[in-house]
Amino acid sequence: MVNKSRNMFYFAYNNYMDHAFPLDELDPIHCKGRGPDREHPENININDVLGDYSLTLIESLGTLAVMGNASEFKRAVNLVIKNVSFDKNSTVQVFEATIRILGSLLSAHMIATNEIKLFDNLKIENYDNELLSMAHDLATRLLPAFEKSPTGIPYPRVNLQFGVPEDSVNTTCTAGAGTLLLEFGALSRLLKDPVYESVARRSIERLWTLRSNVTGLFGSIINMQTGEWEESMSGLGAGIDSFYEYLLKSYILFGNENDLKKFKESYETIRFYLRKGRPTCNSGWGHPPLYVNVNMKSGKLLNNWIDSLQASWPAVQVIFGDVDEAICTHAYFYAIWRKYGVLPERFNWHLSAPDVYFYPLRPEFAESTYLLYQATKNPFYLHVGKDIIESLETHTKVKCGFATVHNVGDKTLEDRMESFFVSETSKYLYLLFDESNPVNIRPTDYLFTTEGHIFPMSNELRKKAPFVEEKQTKSSKKSTEKSLVKEIKKDEDENTTTKTKDKDWKGNLKACKEIDNKNRLIAFSPLPKFENSSVYCNRPEVSERKFSLPIYERYLQQIDAIVGVEPVL
């Protein structure tokens, strides 16, 4: 499967280079390139992402490095340096440009300078920080989105030449405004310029003050001019998903205790309001655990669907250490995948049918599968990965690449291969099976951004920056990437009381005993403790679970029946 996953990436990458470069994306059915839709500026589905900057090539850099292809990595870097400019009359989404372009440039820069020591031969001689300079240029062009905002929450789009468009809308999603800190923070620390990290943090702080004072939940769409919520749905899918992810990952990368505090509080709130079903994943009776969409103001159920972006939540749970809960969340999405061969964009759990039928080659389910295997070493997840690859080969592979599934029912296709297929989907599937890869051998040395770009747990990024305002503890003063594990272990248990309309609940932080550092993503993961929750620290050792299903078969069969998977006779 290592070769199959590698070949899948190169089939997509080589066809892009042959038929689409220097345009942004490949149309894999007609074997041609795609750029911004200049004739239809209102086509934000295309124009938010495509900025006439060779998007797919830039997004491929990290995957080439992970696969150890030094010669092509270096060639691709030189092509980016020589051919890509951000001085374009393109109006792009701040969020997409940040996670896709800025994140990849920073990651490739740190690989090229050997700050990310994946393979010995990836360092580029005579490299003069060109990728860092390009990242700096792009981020500077995005700054007007923050500078012109009265709330500090950025406008959703900027024109790369002229700044915020005069006809710009005033609404943005929570994820779009709150998933910028890893990239902007890393840029600030590499440049030693506080501006970029400060605007990203200001946006998060403003969002934090606007959460519901009844439930503590966030909505999904906000007016960045007034600070009023325009969509009160609170969930873990589109519009809000990566906001929570970055609260946790920002703490891991930068060591800011306030980021961890926000994530812990959010995690408790999510468990209290969004999680439905039996109290524990692998015991008891009742509906299997499911995270639903609720009204941010009341916590009451708002609709009956979940979306495919929510399939990344198990990955966040793994990083946080809540592996048992991640196993059950992942199992639900695996049942949906098995039913259709891919994930529909929205699945109605009440009707056991799709609400939105397309699948654009999203990576979230592959990401969670990869991280669950790293955390458990259970071969069940290798089987899941095999299913994913075979489904992609069967249902999405066309003449010149892999195509979006227009309808998961009849498997009709659309002529588009989004760049995250090469930056994330292919990368996670390859890493799932390449167990000797440096990323897997030294998992605590690296952190994936929400777009799958690799950042190092380095002194340069982790050290305390003088411009970051927070109360500094003794442990955080001494923390480096090597002492992160020890730092979490030394944290004292703390109780936090969050008030809701009629109830109070308490949460504390515990550190599990180390379970074989070779078989755990993070040895001492911070774990929440909830009423009726499973005892995560008493999970069976890896060796005891290695050759069994991750949860009891009767529960997997229950999930299959609820989703509507036909039983195997």
Side-chain angles (χ1 to χ4, degrees):
M1 296 309 294
V2 173
N3 288 333
K4 280 194 173 183
S5 58
R6 182 192 294 112
N7 292 340
M8 185 172 67
F9 166 75
Y10 280 117
F11 185 72
Y13 173 76
N14 289 335
N15 273 291
Y16 165 77
M17 295 302 295
D18 291 343
H19 301 290
F21 175 77
L23 297 180
D24 288 306
E25 283 183 352
L26 170 68
D27 288 353
I29 296 176
H30 289 97
C31 303
K32 63 180 183 178
R34 179 199 295 259
D37 188 352
R38 305 291 191 191
E39 295 181 1
H40 302 92
E42 73 282 0
N43 185 4
I44 59 175
N45 184 47
I46 296 297
N47 294 325
D48 273 359
V49 178
L50 310 189
D52 191 18
Y53 36 41
S54 301
L55 173 63
T56 299
L57 175 62
I58 292 177
E59 286 251 71
S60 298
L61 297 176
T63 309
L64 290 168
V66 163
M67 292 186 178
N69 191 339
S71 60
E72 186 61 20
F73 170 75
K74 294 173 183 178
R75 187 179 84 91
V77 167
N78 286 324
L79 285 173
V80 170
I81 293 171
K82 292 178 181 178
N83 291 280
V84 175
S85 168
F86 300 120
D87 188 18
K88 299 289 179 66
N89 185 14
S90 299
T91 298
V92 297
Q93 192 183 81
V94 173
F95 167 73
E96 296 289 0
T98 297
I99 65 170
R100 299 200 196 203
I101 299 292
L102 186 61
S104 184
L105 291 173
L106 292 171
S107 177
H109 162 73
M110 289 184 280
I111 292 170
T113 56
N114 208 34
E115 291 177 47
I116 301 180
K117 299 176 176 61
L118 287 174
F119 297 93
D120 293 335
N121 57 349
L122 289 174
K123 184 176 181 179
I124 300 178
E125 300 299 329
N126 301 317
Y127 172 73
D128 193 26
N129 296 331
E130 290 93 342
L131 297 179
L132 180 60
S133 297
M134 293 176 69
H136 189 189
D137 176 42
L138 175 60
T140 301
R141 295 173 187 272
L142 300 178
L143 278 182
F146 300 87
E147 295 169 342
K148 293 183 177 296
S149 168
T151 61
I153 299 170
Y155 281 88
R157 298 174 183 88
V158 296
N159 183 284
L160 295 177
Q161 287 184 333
F162 306 111
V164 178
E166 292 184 2
D167 60 350
S168 175
V169 299
N170 294 327
T171 55
T172 189
C173 66
T174 306
T179 311
L180 309 169
L181 185 52
L182 258 62
E183 294 83 1
F184 274 65
L187 180 64
S188 271
R189 292 167 189 241
L190 290 170
L191 295 174
K192 297 179 173 54
D193 181 345
V195 169
Y196 305 97
E197 180 170 353
S198 64
V199 296
R201 284 199 177 277
R202 182 187 176 205
S203 180
I204 291 173
E205 293 299 332
R206 184 58 172 157
L207 287 170
W208 189 255
T209 65
L210 296 172
R211 69 196 190 282
S212 170
N213 58 8
V214 175
T215 65
L217 293 169
F218 298 84
S220 55
I221 298 177
I222 195 167
N223 187 308
M224 43 72 55
Q225 288 278 358
T226 65
E228 297 292 327
W229 293 101
E230 299 203 6
E231 174 53 70
S232 60
M233 187 187 80
S234 189
L236 295 173
I240 198 169
D241 53 337
S242 53
F243 170 73
Y244 296 120
E245 174 190 354
Y246 266 34
L247 290 179
L248 178 59
K249 288 185 176 180
S250 295
Y251 166 70
I252 295 171
L253 190 63
F254 302 129
N256 188 317
E257 300 285 348
N258 288 328
D259 295 334
L260 179 60
K261 182 178 179 181
K262 287 182 175 64
F263 181 82
K264 289 193 299 178
E265 184 174 331
S266 296
Y267 199 83
E268 292 180 3
T269 305
I270 289 165
R271 286 273 306 207
F272 189 83
Y273 286 105
L274 273 62
R275 188 188 186 280
K276 308 300 179 182
R278 62 177 176 268
T280 59
C281 171
N282 210 23
S283 63
W285 302 94
H287 196 283
L290 181 68
Y291 291 83
V292 301
N293 300 316
V294 302
N295 186 299
M296 66 170 290
K297 298 176 182 178
S298 65
K300 293 182 178 180
L301 182 68
L302 201 59
N303 54 51
N304 296 326
W305 53 261
I306 55 178
D307 68 46
S308 62
L309 287 164
Q310 191 174 326
S312 66
W313 185 242
V316 177
Q317 292 178 307
V318 167
I319 296 171
F320 193 43
D322 198 350
V323 177
D324 283 1
E325 190 76 2
I327 287 170
C328 225
T329 309
H330 176 273
Y332 206 100
F333 284 97
Y334 182 40
I336 300 172
W337 183 283
R338 286 166 48 231
K339 182 174 182 178
Y340 299 104
V342 291
L343 284 184
E345 189 72 353
R346 285 184 185 175
F347 180 78
N348 189 308
W349 47 263
H350 181 69
L351 300 176
S352 299
D355 274 354
V356 180
Y357 283 76
F358 71 89
Y359 169 69
L361 307 172
R362 289 201 187 278
E364 286 77 13
F365 182 60
E367 175 189 9
S368 291
T369 301
Y370 163 64
L371 288 180
L372 272 165
Y373 180 67
Q374 290 302 304
T376 67
K377 293 302 179 184
N378 192 314
F380 172 82
Y381 296 106
L382 298 178
H383 178 77
V384 175
K386 181 174 179 288
D387 279 355
I388 295 173
I389 291 174
E390 290 178 348
S391 292
L392 292 172
E393 293 277 348
T394 300
H395 301 306
T396 72
K397 190 174 183 179
V398 292
K399 182 179 178 180
C400 292
F402 295 85
T404 293
V405 177
H406 176 72
N407 186 314
V408 300
D410 60 21
K411 302 301 187 295
T412 51
L413 300 175
E414 295 179 17
D415 197 9
R416 187 178 186 187
M417 186 180 79
E418 291 226 36
S419 63
F420 49 63
F421 183 75
V422 294
S423 72
E424 296 185 82
T425 310
S426 300
K427 182 184 295 168
Y428 288 127
L429 290 171
Y430 176 78
L431 287 172
L432 174 64
F433 293 102
D434 185 17
E435 299 207 39
S436 62
N437 194 281
V439 174
N440 294 329
I441 293 174
R442 304 191 303 275
T444 55
D445 288 354
Y446 309 109
L447 184 70
F448 290 99
T449 70
T450 196
E451 189 71 7
H453 301 306
I454 298 175
F455 282 11
M457 296 290 294
S458 68
N459 282 326
E460 189 167 9
L461 296 185
R462 178 117 180 116
K463 67 184 178 182
K464 183 66 62 176
F467 53 83
V468 178
E469 295 181 3
E470 66 167 310
K471 294 180 180 179
Q472 193 177 31
T473 64
K474 292 181 179 180
S475 62
S476 66
K477 286 181 181 179
K478 297 179 180 179
S479 75
T480 65
E481 80 281 11
K482 292 182 180 179
S483 64
L484 173 61
V485 169
K486 294 180 182 179
E487 181 186 354
I488 297 174
K489 184 181 178 183
K490 291 179 181 178
D491 284 346
E492 296 180 354
D493 291 351
E494 61 182 39
N495 293 321
T496 304
T497 302
T498 305
K499 294 182 179 180
T500 64
K501 188 173 183 180
D502 298 311
K503 296 183 179 182
D504 293 336
W505 73 91
K506 296 182 179 181
N508 60 21
L509 182 68
K510 286 190 175 182
C512 277
K513 295 180 180 180
E514 184 171 9
I515 307 174
D516 187 4
N517 194 31
K518 295 181 181 179
N519 292 331
R520 288 289 177 235
L521 188 64
I522 296 178
F524 294 95
S525 301
L527 299 180
K529 181 179 179 181
F530 305 99
E531 293 182 8
N532 300 321
S533 66
S534 58
V535 185
Y536 305 114
C537 293
N538 292 328
R539 289 196 303 272
E541 296 290 337
V542 170
S543 58
E544 296 177 20
R545 301 172 58 147
K546 195 169 184 180
F547 302 107
S548 61
L549 291 171
I551 60 177
Y552 289 120
E553 186 174 5
R554 65 177 180 271
Y555 292 128
L556 289 175
Q557 292 173 344
Q558 179 195 32
I559 293 172
D560 284 353
I562 290 171
V563 170
V565 179
E566 292 292 332
V568 178
L569 299 178

